[in-house]
């Protein structure tokens, strides 16, 4: 007898289930909030915005919005996901209360934004200490990647404008701390800009870098142990000079536009002066070479700057540019790191491409569009998104191991957060039972065990 395997099983649906919890895996994020001290920090920071006789804590409302975004929400109303599960998330404010708080924070302008930023900065140092060898500063250096994001607007929002890609929307400039090959990354700054903001505006890069440094532990706010990486948008005299200013002494690795002068020098480089580029495993990168440029090209730039150029065979079908030479794609970057092989420095700069992964994660976490109308409101929304991304970076860093630490938000939601459970009350304890057959239940329980073992904040 043959049995069909091409159809789905038929089930009867009833709406009388009790003690069933959807999004049960989100207890990972709730426990991360608790163990990092983010709940106390945000509540203390937003206490001035609590009105007399108010029932809901403004800090709890703001955190609930961030949790909703981390779970896949993309507007204020999606906080309803949390309101539907009071056993996991506690009391959640109504939509009008959420909107009023957002408007109040927007009306306060820079004061509210700075307050939220300070709370996040206060928590970040202890979180890195808890992470130990998984922290982004475990090797004594912190890498910060600056990059722009195009956010499309489908309606006429304040400051929305035509972008350089001939779309319409906004062009925020962001900064992410790179967690290295064994992790992902966390946002530490986001500067909301109109869609027509220039890509290589030095003033915007300086402002974003200042916001990023303010988020870091104090020991990393100046000195060579902090590396700032950008693409060619950051390769301006003003920005590089700001990074290298005496007393700031930041390390940098910034892309440079291949000018006509650079192109002429590249054509004059003798064959023996080219060094084979390398891959992350130390092997030679096929069809790629690097060399260092010196001489008059460095006139007018900060002392100690090194100019490194790479030529590489383009992938099949790639369109060559007029500045390319001998059928090879030419790229260039500047750094002030001395006494290191240029192939190693070129590999370090090439790893800046990991910022594209962070941007993809941000787009998947409510940054595909800005849901509110005014710029002030959307600046508050940008802070909510950053807190959500913080949690999505801190939870794997503190609680997950192996390849699970590399999971991006979409995969975390599909495998961990959406797991269903049954809430059982016995005595004075509440137990959340997860489905034994769910393939990633052990990831959830093991991660919760690691979070529980962490010391209480403060």
């Amino acid at each position: 007898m043959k049995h069909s395997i091409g159809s789905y099983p038929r089930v009867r649906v009833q709406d009388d289930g009790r003690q069933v919890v959807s999004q049960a895996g989100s207890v990972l994020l709730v426990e991360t909030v608790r163990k990092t001290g983010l709940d106390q920090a945000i509540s203390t920071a937003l206490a001035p915005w609590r009105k007399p006789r108010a029932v809901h804590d403004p800090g709890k409302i703001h955190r609930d919005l961030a949790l909703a975004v981390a779970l896949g929400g993309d507007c204020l109303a999606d906080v309803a996901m949390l309101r539907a599960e009071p056993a996991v998330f506690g009391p959640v404010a109504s939509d009008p209360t959420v909107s009023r708080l957002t408007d109040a924070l927007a009306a306060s302008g820079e004061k509210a934004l700075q307050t939220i930023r300070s709370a996040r900065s206060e928590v970040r140092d202890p979180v890195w200490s808890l992470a130990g060898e998984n922290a982004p500063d475990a090797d004594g250096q912190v890498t910060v990647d600056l990059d722009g994001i195009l956010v499309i607007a489908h309606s006429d929002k304040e400051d929305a404008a035509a972008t350089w890609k001939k779309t319409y929307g906004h062009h925020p400039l962001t900064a992410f701390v790179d967690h290295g090959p064994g992790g992902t990354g966390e946002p530490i700054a986001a500067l909301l800009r109109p869609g027509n903001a220039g890509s290589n505006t030095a003033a915007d890069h300086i402002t974003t870098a200042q916001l990023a440094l303010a988020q870091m532990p104090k020991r990393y706010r100046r000195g060579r142990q902090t590396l700032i990486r950008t693409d060619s948008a950051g390769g301006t005299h003003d920005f590089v000079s700001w990074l290298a200013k005496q007393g700031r002494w930041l390390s940098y690795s910034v892309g440079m536009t291949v000018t006509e002068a650079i192109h002429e020098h590249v054509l004059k480089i003798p064959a023996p002066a080219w060094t084979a580029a390398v891959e992350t495993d130390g092997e030679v990168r096929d069809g790629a070479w690097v060399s260092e440029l010196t001489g008059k090209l460095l006139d007018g730039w900060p002392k100690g700057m090194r100019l490194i150029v790479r030529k590489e065979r383009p992938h099949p079908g790639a369109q060559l540019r007029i500045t390319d030479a001998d059928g090879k794609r030419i790229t260039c970057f500047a750094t002030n790191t001395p006494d290191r092989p240029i192939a190693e420095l070129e590999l370090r700069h090439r790893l800046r491409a990991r910022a594209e992964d962070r941007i993809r994660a941000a787009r998947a976490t409510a940054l595909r569009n800005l849901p509110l109308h005014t710029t002030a409101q959307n600046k508050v929304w940008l802070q909510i998104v950053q807190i959500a991304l913080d949690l999505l970076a801190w939870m794997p860093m503190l609680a997950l191991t192996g390849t699970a630490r590399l999971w991006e938000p979409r995969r975390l939601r599909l495998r961990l957060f959406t797991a269903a459970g049954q809430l059982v009350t016995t005595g004075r304890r509440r137990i959340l039972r997860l489905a034994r057959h769910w393939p990633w239940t052990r990831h959830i329980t093991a991660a919760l065990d690691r979070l529980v073992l962490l010391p209480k904040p403060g």
Side-chain angles (χ1 to χ4, degrees):
M1 180 178 179
K2 294 183 179 180
H3 297 278
S4 174
I5 59 173
S7 61
Y8 298 102
R10 293 182 178 274
V11 296
R12 179 178 295 177
V13 178
Q14 297 179 345
D15 61 356
D16 58 352
R18 297 181 180 180
Q19 302 299 323
V20 177
V21 177
S22 61
Q23 303 281 347
S26 58
V27 294
L28 288 169
L29 294 177
V30 175
E31 191 64 22
T32 300
V33 169
R34 185 179 295 114
K35 286 297 185 176
T36 57
L38 186 64
D39 51 352
Q40 301 173 22
I42 296 292
S43 290
T44 302
L46 296 185
W49 281 268
R50 182 164 191 165
K51 294 183 178 181
R53 301 175 64 183
V55 174
H56 294 280
D57 171 24
K60 173 70 162 55
I61 297 174
H62 203 72
R63 294 194 306 274
D64 285 343
L65 285 170
L67 285 171
V69 168
L71 293 175
D74 61 3
C75 65
L76 298 180
D78 284 337
V79 77
M81 289 192 301
L82 278 60
R83 192 182 302 118
E85 296 294 352
V88 176
F89 302 104
V92 176
S94 64
D95 288 350
T97 302
V98 170
S99 296
R100 283 194 297 268
L101 174 64
T102 304
D103 291 341
L105 294 175
S108 299
E110 190 60 29
K111 177 183 177 182
L113 299 178
Q114 185 56 43
T115 298
I116 298 171
R117 294 190 193 110
S118 297
R120 293 175 57 219
S121 175
E122 175 187 334
V123 172
R124 197 173 309 278
D125 193 4
V127 170
W128 289 7
S129 298
L130 289 174
E133 62 181 11
N134 293 331
D137 64 340
D139 61 353
Q141 186 172 61
V142 177
T143 301
V144 180
D145 292 316
L146 271 61
D147 210 341
I149 303 178
L150 291 181
V151 180
I152 305 301
H154 298 286
S155 60
D156 191 16
K157 301 180 185 295
E158 186 178 5
D159 282 339
T163 71
W164 61 276
K165 278 197 172 182
K166 298 182 179 180
T167 56
Y168 183 79
H170 297 81
H171 188 191
L173 189 59
T174 60
F176 294 89
V177 169
D178 186 14
H179 285 190
T184 54
E186 60 190 272
I188 53 173
L191 179 66
L192 185 58
R193 305 187 299 169
N196 56 3
S199 296
N200 58 349
T201 305
D204 291 345
H205 278 76
I206 291 173
T207 300
T208 305
Q210 289 173 328
L211 293 174
L213 293 172
Q215 280 292 305
M216 308 256 277
K218 289 184 178 180
R219 59 188 177 277
Y220 296 118
R221 294 178 185 177
R222 63 182 64 205
R224 296 295 191 196
Q225 70 273 22
T226 299
L227 172 68
I228 305 292
R229 290 191 303 202
T230 74
D231 56 11
S232 59
T236 61
H237 280 82
D238 289 345
F239 184 55
V240 174
S241 298
W242 183 87
L243 292 170
K245 185 178 179 180
Q246 187 173 2
R248 192 171 288 117
W249 300 121
L250 297 169
S251 296
Y252 61 81
S253 182
V254 299
M256 302 290 286
T257 301
V258 179
T259 62
E260 184 177 348
I262 292 177
H263 186 240
E264 291 178 357
H265 276 72
V266 171
L267 294 177
K268 297 176 183 178
I269 298 176
W274 290 99
T275 301
V278 297
E279 298 284 11
T280 53
D281 58 2
E283 297 295 325
V284 171
R285 183 177 176 86
D286 185 42
W289 302 266
V290 294
S291 184
E292 185 168 359
L293 302 179
T294 57
K296 294 183 178 180
L297 286 175
L298 300 180
D299 291 349
W301 292 91
K303 183 180 179 181
M305 190 181 92
R306 303 173 68 183
L307 197 60
I308 299 173
V309 65
R310 180 185 71 170
K311 66 177 182 179
E312 183 173 21
R313 285 196 296 265
H315 62 271
Q319 183 70 37
L320 290 174
R321 297 169 294 197
I322 194 171
T323 53
D324 295 332
D326 300 327
K328 307 291 192 305
R329 173 63 49 82
I330 301 298
T331 56
C332 186
F333 72 97
T335 183
N336 61 346
T337 303
D339 305 326
R340 287 180 65 176
I342 57 175
E344 182 181 334
L345 293 174
E346 189 277 331
L347 172 63
R348 184 184 71 176
H349 184 74
R350 197 183 338 133
L351 291 177
R352 196 204 68 80
R354 286 170 53 83
E356 299 298 328
D357 298 334
R358 310 288 78 77
I359 290 175
R360 182 173 62 249
R363 291 184 186 278
T365 310
L367 205 55
R368 189 170 297 278
N369 57 65
L370 298 174
L372 305 173
H373 179 72
T374 69
T375 297
Q377 291 172 324
N378 283 321
K379 285 182 178 180
V380 175
W381 179 258
L382 211 54
Q383 293 299 319
I384 294 169
V385 171
Q386 288 180 82
I387 294 174
L389 289 170
D390 278 337
L391 292 174
L392 291 172
W394 292 344
M395 189 277 291
M397 183 172 68
L398 295 173
L400 297 181
T401 59
T403 57
R405 281 193 63 211
L406 299 173
W407 289 352
E408 293 189 359
R410 290 182 185 275
R411 183 162 292 182
L412 288 172
R413 293 173 193 135
L414 288 172
R415 295 187 174 183
L416 303 185
F417 303 153
T418 58
Q422 182 184 25
L423 190 64
V424 178
T425 302
T426 170
R428 295 184 178 181
R429 295 187 302 167
R430 291 187 302 172
I431 301 174
L432 186 62
R433 293 177 176 172
L434 303 177
R436 183 178 298 176
H437 68 275
W438 187 249
W440 302 283
T441 292
R442 294 187 65 182
H443 283 81
I444 300 172
T445 55
L448 281 171
D449 290 341
R450 295 187 188 96
L451 289 173
V452 169
L453 291 175
L454 295 176
K456 293 182 179 180

